[in-house]
Amino acid sequence: MALVPCQVLRAAILLSYCSILCNYKAIDMPAHQTYGGSWKFLTFIDLVIQAVFFGICVLTDLSSLLTRGNDSQEQERQLKKLISLRDWMMAVLAFPVGVFVVTMFWSIYIYDRELVYPKLLDNFIPAWLNHGMHTTVLPFVLIEMRTTHHQYPSRSCGLAAVCTFAVGYILWVCWIHHVTGVWVYPLLEHLTPGVKIVFFAAVTVIINIFYLVGEVLNNYIWDTQK
């Protein structure tokens, strides 16, 4: 796909994420006023990750267009750094976290929505916004993977970064419970301490698996192209 169509596509996706974030933050929900605010929800963190990632993609495209035909080595180095940051974010955050949010949310939602998205939230969050947060993330990140080759880091470094993110978020959730006495997700209220440990370990394993899936998928798509 040519650079300009890709650039337009990424800009449109970035604008959609900005719209989703603005509409979500404008909702007057009690949960937004409690400790941690919106930042206690992985869905919101993922939306910020996706918005930042596609912002970097758009910036990379603009920089590439501006430096085309320019022999400045300094600009070329800066562009390579930007591309490296874009690729790292795609590999470690945008793909595994995005796919994890979509698959986990809808899996639990189908089983028992009250465990992850109580019906009460329908009074605050319209259906289109719910899908913007929990559905379109997957096709958007797959479109990006299909249109642009991303250089993955070494597997050990990539998995270490994913584990750091997962463990960091788990510790954040536990800290919020320590401070407020309330779990971020209703599902955790129903688990015994031992089961919670198993659940958190399983979550960490799953997000690492999604990292590997992204790496394999990226290599398959672009090895085929070659």
Side-chain angles (χ1 to χ4, degrees):
M1 187 176 286
L3 177 61
V4 172
C6 286
Q7 180 184 25
V8 172
L9 184 61
R10 290 178 183 131
I13 293 175
L14 174 61
L15 289 174
S16 72
Y17 276 122
C18 291
S19 175
I20 291 169
L21 281 168
C22 289
N23 279 276
Y24 178 75
K25 292 297 291 182
I27 296 173
D28 185 20
M29 285 198 307
H32 290 175
Q33 313 305 322
T34 57
Y35 185 82
S38 302
W39 291 98
K40 58 179 170 283
F41 301 113
L42 186 58
T43 292
F44 179 77
I45 295 174
D46 178 51
L47 287 175
V48 173
I49 288 172
Q50 301 298 331
V52 171
F53 168 68
F54 278 100
I56 292 173
C57 287
V58 170
L59 184 59
T60 301
D61 285 341
L62 290 175
S63 298
S64 181
L65 286 171
L66 292 174
T67 57
R68 180 174 293 178
N70 193 325
D71 295 330
S72 172
Q73 293 184 351
E74 179 60 29
Q75 289 184 347
E76 189 69 23
R77 281 196 296 269
Q78 294 302 320
L79 178 59
K80 287 181 178 179
K81 289 180 180 179
L82 202 56
I83 292 173
S84 296
L85 176 60
R86 179 201 67 186
D87 292 350
W88 185 89
M89 277 204 69
M90 176 65 171
V92 173
L93 295 174
F95 186 88
V97 178
V99 175
F100 177 84
V101 167
V102 173
T103 54
M104 288 296 289
F105 175 83
W106 287 112
S107 296
I108 299 174
Y109 185 97
I110 292 171
Y111 174 73
D112 183 356
R113 67 169 295 176
E114 294 299 319
L115 296 176
V116 67
Y117 192 82
K119 195 171 180 60
L120 175 66
L121 292 179
D122 290 342
N123 298 323
F124 299 95
I125 303 177
W128 72 266
L129 186 55
N130 180 29
H131 284 292
M133 296 188 297
H134 297 116
T135 305
T136 58
V137 173
L138 181 57
F140 283 168
V141 79
L142 288 176
I143 288 171
E144 171 61 23
M145 180 170 283
R146 176 62 183 84
T147 57
T148 305
H149 176 255
H150 297 275
Q151 186 67 43
Y152 269 60
S154 67
R155 183 165 293 181
S156 58
C157 291
L159 291 175
V162 173
C163 282
T164 300
F165 175 85
V167 172
Y169 180 70
I170 289 170
L171 293 176
W172 172 231
V173 168
C174 293
W175 174 254
I176 291 173
H177 176 262
H178 172 74
V179 172
T180 65
V182 178
W183 287 104
V184 173
Y185 303 102
L187 168 66
L188 297 173
E189 300 282 358
H190 301 277
L191 303 180
T192 63
V195 176
K196 282 189 182 73
I197 293 174
V198 174
F199 176 77
F200 288 143
V203 163
T204 304
V205 170
I206 291 171
I207 199 169
N208 275 274
I209 290 174
F210 285 140
Y211 171 84
L212 295 175
V213 169
E215 182 183 38
V216 171
L217 184 60
N218 179 74
N219 291 338
Y220 172 76
I221 291 172
W222 293 100
D223 284 348
T224 301
Q225 293 291 330
K226 292 176 183 178

